[in-house]
Amino acid sequence: MTRYIIRRSIQSFFLLWLATIIGFTVYQLAPGGPLQFLSDDPKGTSADFNRLTRMYGIDRSIGAQYLAWLAGEDWLPNNATWRTGRCLSDSTRCGRGILRLDFGKSFYFKGESAISLIIQRMPATFILAFSSLIISVVGGIPLGIFAALYRGRWPDHIIRVLTVLVSTVPDWWIGLLLLIVLGGYLGVVPLGGMETVGDGSLLDRLHHLILPAIVSAIGGWISMSRIMRFEMLEVLNQDYVRTARAKGLSERAVVVRHVLRNALMPFITGLSGIFLLVLSGSILFELVFSWPGMGRLAITAINSRDYPVMMALFVISSFLGIMGILMVDILYSFVDPRVKYEVTK
Amino acid sequence: MRSQSNLNMTQVKEQTYWGAVGRKLLHDKITVAAILLLTFMISISIGASWIGDNLLGFDPTETNLRYRNKPPTWLLESWPQFEEFTQSCQLKGLSGCQWSWWGEVISHALTGIPNCFNAALGQCHWLGTDQAGRDVLTRAIYGGRISLRIGIYVAGISMTLGVMMGLISGYYAATLIDDIINAIIQTMGSIPLLFLLIILSRIFQPGPEGLAFLLGIFGWMGVSRLIRGQIFSIREREYIIASRAIGASIWQIMFRHMFPNVISIIIVVGVFNIAGAIIAEAGLSYLGVGIGPPLPSWGNMMQGSLGNFTDAPWLVLTPGLFIFLTTLSIYLIGDGLRDALDPWVKEARE
């Protein structure tokens, strides 16, 4: 088991390194260079452009730029091949590299560092992500259990209708419609945001949270209940369940003691996928509900071509996703002793 | 005994697999309805310019700045009342809603409909106008061209990639090639793909084909995993070993013997992929990084509603309903195909 954990950790570390390369490539892909937007400014001259190119160090080789972005430039040789203009003239302004959590300064939010912008918005995204996770677990598990126990009856129909619904309309569109009707017309829920200005009470925050959380939980809810239903049916067909019934246990005891316990295990794996989905899907929901989280920051960064923030968001959300999957895998290996660590298929 | 069975054989009409599939499909009323609906959606988008010119009288890109964000023409009279109703709800809470105003709202709307039918070409906006005064219905019909095209392209690209990768990694299971493909899939599974997709489409600002390409190369992993599993389960079957023994080449084995085993899965997954791609395109265009305006697509039509969705709900509703009708029909066809293609469907369902 220790070997498995070590191997998975090394794998995750490697994945993370790949993510930094992908994130950095995005920076290089920008047509006309990442500072292209500066030439949109009618007052800017080519001398200004060259000065800024030197200041941000975009004239360096790709390898030097990656190294400085990854590990910082304060330990690199003090010349223009390795350091940015800022760092050459004033060594206190050297970038410290993403390994030391310095993602550089934002282009758009002047003077703010990318990491502090993200940290400010992280709580909002996490509140939404975790409340929708809780809703999908609380709603999905019982629905899946009942659908498996009463096959072909109403829980099954609910799952089927909801499955068709989420696979045939964008889930953010459902949110938009609900927002128009419930928020815009009936005034039951607020039209967006996280709290009313000047009123930060818990009740007000919950009032703002309820619709976004429910709508962004729909997708997870469906996949949770479907996984749960499938696992339950698998376990219900096992020999030990038949044995349990044969020895005269009540149906409730069979389900609670023998079926549920075993059906819940593969379910943990399902969690990792949903964890990733919640983070990646937050962009559209945050736009619809004007939710002041990382997704909104991403939209602003993308629309204003704020590359340092884009790269930072990409690397940090990759990190969260990879760590989420790793944790779930490790947790799974503790919970289910039958899991095969070495060869898969 | 023997002659009797021979007699029966001649009486039973010869059935091919695909013939049986087709018959099963047409026997299923829901699937037939879905096929009709999809045919309708495809034909209105193919005939969009004819419908726009001869039935509606609008051009999808023609702006009319004096007629922006107007409700459907037949609702023009009842709209102020509807807005008063919503204001009554906003002011006094749910209990203060003046539900009685709905009578007038409905009666005005009902008198509006015949007027709209009798109106001259280009006088009635059946589904309102957008933020630039363009006719929403015309744009939605034209939008189908882009959205359906993207759906089909994406399904084509991701299925081709996914099937190739799945066949190769299934055939070479537990070798270096398989490991490499698995590593690629794992990497793509653990980075925020949607975010990367948004960044890339913002940087390159692709047209419909480019966007389809991006969506396709990010969407083949699930297909590949599915195909790999299937191929893995048949690769040691006798007929594969036999054909290997008589010296068949790898490509022959893959495409002559393995591919036919997974073709039904490919068809079903491909159909579902089209629906998924239409929804994905809508999301990207809604964010403003997919298909750019003047070209209408269902996603970017909704983007125009960002600031004023409560004042102009038809901007949200119309494209959404077009998406819903199209993807619903595609989904139901996929569902019907899954049942029809699988001879053991009865057991599989339970």
Side-chain angles (χ1 to χ4, degrees), chain A residues 15 26 31 151 164 167-169 172-173 176 179-180 183-185 276 280 287 298 302-303 310 313-314 317-318 345, chain B residues 86 89-90 187 189-190 192 194-195 198-199 202-203 279 283 286-287 302 309-310 313 316 320 324 327-328 331 350:
Chain A
L15 280 175
V26 164
R151 253 175 302 159
V164 174
S167 15
T168 53
V169 283
W172 51 268
W173 184 73
L176 204 51
L179 193 63
I180 292 175
Y185 295 156
L276 201 73
S280 196
L287 178 69
I302 288 163
N303 283 333
M310 267 192 243
L313 275 169
F314 183 80
S317 47
S318 304
K345 277 197 189 175
Chain B
T86 61
C89 292
Q90 292 281 358
T187 311
S190 46
L194 177 72
F195 187 41
I198 294 170
I199 296 177
R202 173 68 196 176
I203 290 178
I279 291 177
Y286 180 67
L287 283 172
M302 283 192 255
F309 52 78
T310 52
V316 177
F324 176 64
T327 47
L328 180 71
Y331 183 90
E350 290 309 301

Side-chain angles (χ1 to χ4, degrees), chain A residues 12-331:
Chain A
S12 304
F13 185 76
F14 183 72
L15 280 175
L16 204 59
W17 175 66
L18 269 176
T20 67
I21 289 192
I22 296 170
F24 183 74
T25 313
V26 164
Y27 188 62
Q28 296 294 327
L29 281 175
L35 291 177
Q36 177 64 31
F37 70 97
L38 289 171
S39 55
D40 297 345
D41 184 357
K43 276 183 273 178
T45 61
S46 67
D48 288 339
F49 190 73
N50 288 340
R51 187 177 55 81
L52 286 166
T53 307
R54 184 75 277 276
M55 193 177 123
Y56 287 109
I58 292 158
D59 52 353
R60 295 170 297 168
S61 72
I62 291 179
Q65 287 188 48
Y66 177 69
L67 201 61
W69 178 66
L70 191 71
E73 45 189 349
D74 44 356
W75 54 278
L76 289 169
N78 193 3
N79 57 47
T81 347
W82 293 101
R83 291 193 177 189
T84 59
R86 267 179 315 195
C87 180
L88 264 184
S89 51
D90 180 1
S91 61
T92 56
R93 296 177 70 198
C94 288
R96 284 151 49 78
I98 62 170
L99 290 178
R100 283 176 283 173
L101 288 179
D102 180 4
F103 288 84
K105 292 244 190 289
S106 160
F107 290 171
Y108 179 74
F109 300 92
K110 293 276 171 352
E112 295 239 33
S113 69
I115 186 78
S116 73
L117 284 169
I118 292 172
I119 287 175
Q120 279 163 23
R121 283 156 181 82
M122 231 177 222
T125 296
F126 273 98
I127 288 172
L128 185 58
F130 279 106
S131 36
S132 80
L133 191 64
I134 289 169
I135 292 177
S136 50
V137 168
V138 170
I141 294 189
L143 190 60
I145 292 172
F146 283 116
L149 291 180
Y150 307 103
R151 253 175 302 159
R153 304 263 290 277
W154 59 267
D156 251 1
H157 297 311
I158 293 181
I159 291 182
R160 200 162 297 147
V161 169
L162 284 176
T163 309
V164 174
L165 195 71
V166 289
S167 15
T168 53
V169 283
D171 36 12
W172 51 268
W173 184 73
I174 302 175
L176 204 51
L177 278 191
L178 289 175
L179 193 63
I180 292 175
V181 175
L182 297 179
Y185 295 156
L186 301 179
V188 185
V189 293
L191 267 177
M194 215 177 145
E195 56 187 41
T196 317
V197 181
D199 179 8
S201 65
L202 187 65
L203 202 69
D204 179 59
R205 279 164 175 258
L206 281 177
H207 192 207
H208 280 80
L209 179 63
I210 189 151
L211 189 61
I214 289 177
V215 171
S216 53
I218 297 176
W221 205 36
I222 300 306
S223 48
M224 288 263 171
S225 55
R226 289 181 67 174
I227 298 171
M228 196 64 219
R229 177 181 182 275
F230 181 79
E231 296 300 341
M232 283 283 289
L233 289 179
E234 287 275 280
V235 178
L236 277 170
N237 282 331
Q238 298 284 327
D239 287 340
Y240 59 79
V241 175
R242 198 176 308 133
T243 313
R245 283 205 182 111
K247 73 182 182 188
L249 283 182
S250 70
E251 191 61 26
R252 173 194 282 266
V254 172
V255 170
V256 173
R257 257 189 262 157
H258 295 273
V259 179
L260 263 185
R261 205 184 272 182
N262 286 295
L264 274 172
M265 281 174 179
F267 190 72
I268 300 170
T269 351
L271 269 176
S272 71
I274 285 159
F275 193 72
L276 201 73
L277 201 83
V278 162
L279 281 168
S280 196
S282 69
I283 295 179
L284 276 158
F285 292 120
E286 289 187 7
L287 178 69
V288 168
F289 293 107
S290 321
W291 195 257
M294 286 159 68
R296 294 264 298 179
L297 181 67
I299 299 166
T300 315
I302 288 163
N303 283 333
S304 56
R305 286 182 271 183
D306 193 346
Y307 287 95
V309 175
M310 267 192 243
M311 289 154 78
L313 275 169
F314 183 80
V315 171
I316 288 175
S317 47
S318 304
F319 175 78
L320 292 175
I322 291 167
M323 286 299 135
I325 294 175
L326 178 67
M327 271 185 330
V328 166
D329 278 0
I330 292 175
L331 188 69

Side-chain angles (χ1 to χ4, degrees), chain B residues 149-170:
Chain B
R149 203 161 81 199
I150 287 184
I152 291 164
Y153 286 165
V154 173
I157 295 169
S158 62
M159 292 312 292
T160 313
L161 264 175
V163 169
M164 289 300 293
M165 294 289 195
L167 277 175
I168 292 171
S169 64

Side-chain angles (χ1 to χ4, degrees), chain B residues 33-45:
Chain B
I35 291 174
L36 289 177
L37 181 60
L38 186 64
T39 318
F40 175 71
M41 297 307 286
I42 293 174
S43 9
I44 60 168
S45 35

Side-chain angles (χ1 to χ4, degrees), chain B residues 129-334:
Chain B
T129 62
D130 68 359
Q131 69 284 0
R134 296 168 293 205
D135 183 55
V136 170
L137 179 59
T138 314
R139 278 178 77 72
I141 291 172
Y142 270 89
R145 290 185 168 182
I146 305 274
S147 299
L148 281 167
R149 203 161 81 199
I150 287 184
I152 291 164
Y153 286 165
V154 173
I157 295 169
S158 62
M159 292 312 292
T160 313
L161 264 175
V163 169
M164 289 300 293
M165 294 289 195
L167 277 175
I168 292 171
S169 64
Y171 188 85
Y172 291 106
T175 64
L176 185 66
I177 297 173
D178 184 36
D179 286 346
I180 292 172
I181 293 176
N182 276 339
I184 296 172
I185 293 177
Q186 209 188 351
T187 311
M188 297 191 68
S190 46
I191 56 174
L193 275 189
L194 177 72
F195 187 41
L196 188 59
L197 197 62
I198 294 170
I199 296 177
L200 290 177
S201 39
R202 173 68 196 176
I203 290 178
F204 294 113
Q205 304 191 327
E209 285 77 18
L211 189 66
F213 177 74
L214 280 179
L215 283 169
I217 57 169
F218 282 158
W220 55 269
M221 291 83 73
V223 184
S224 168
R225 279 217 168 124
L226 198 67
I227 302 289
R228 180 190 180 276
Q230 293 291 320
I231 295 295
F232 189 82
S233 68
I234 58 164
R235 66 192 280 258
E236 297 300 331
R237 294 270 171 89
E238 288 83 353
Y239 59 90
I240 304 284
I241 295 174
S243 62
R244 203 176 285 152
I246 59 169
S249 74
I250 295 164
W251 294 104
Q252 248 172 338
I253 295 174
M254 267 192 212
F255 285 98
R256 292 274 286 281
H257 303 295
M258 288 178 159
F259 187 71
N261 276 290
V262 290
I263 189 122
S264 58
I265 299 174
I266 294 172
I267 292 173
V268 173
V269 176
V271 169
F272 284 128
N273 258 2
I274 298 177
I278 290 175
I279 291 177
E281 182 276 329
L284 286 180
S285 301
Y286 180 67
L287 283 172
V289 295
I291 304 297
L295 269 185
S297 90
W298 291 332
N300 76 17
M301 288 177 66
M302 283 192 255
Q303 206 218 346
S305 75
L306 263 180
N308 57 352
F309 52 78
T310 52
D311 299 327
W314 49 90
L315 291 182
V316 177
L317 245 134
T318 311
L321 283 179
F322 271 76
I323 292 175
F324 176 64
L325 290 178
T326 311
T327 47
L328 180 71
S329 59
I330 293 172
Y331 183 90
L332 292 176
I333 292 172

Side-chain angles (χ1 to χ4, degrees), chain B residues 21-74:
Chain B
V21 167
R23 217 164 301 128
K24 240 192 227 175
L25 262 186
L26 295 179
H27 202 70
D28 185 5
K29 286 193 188 87
I30 295 179
T31 312
V32 174
I35 291 174
L36 289 177
L37 181 60
L38 186 64
T39 318
F40 175 71
M41 297 307 286
I42 293 174
S43 9
I44 60 168
S45 35
I46 290 174
S49 57
W50 186 85
I51 295 175
D53 294 342
N54 297 309
L55 295 181
L56 302 169
F58 294 106
D59 185 274
T61 52
E62 186 188 270
T63 58
N64 180 357
L65 294 182
R66 270 178 293 177
Y67 208 75
R68 291 187 299 191
N69 290 327
K70 286 283 186 240
T73 311
W74 53 278

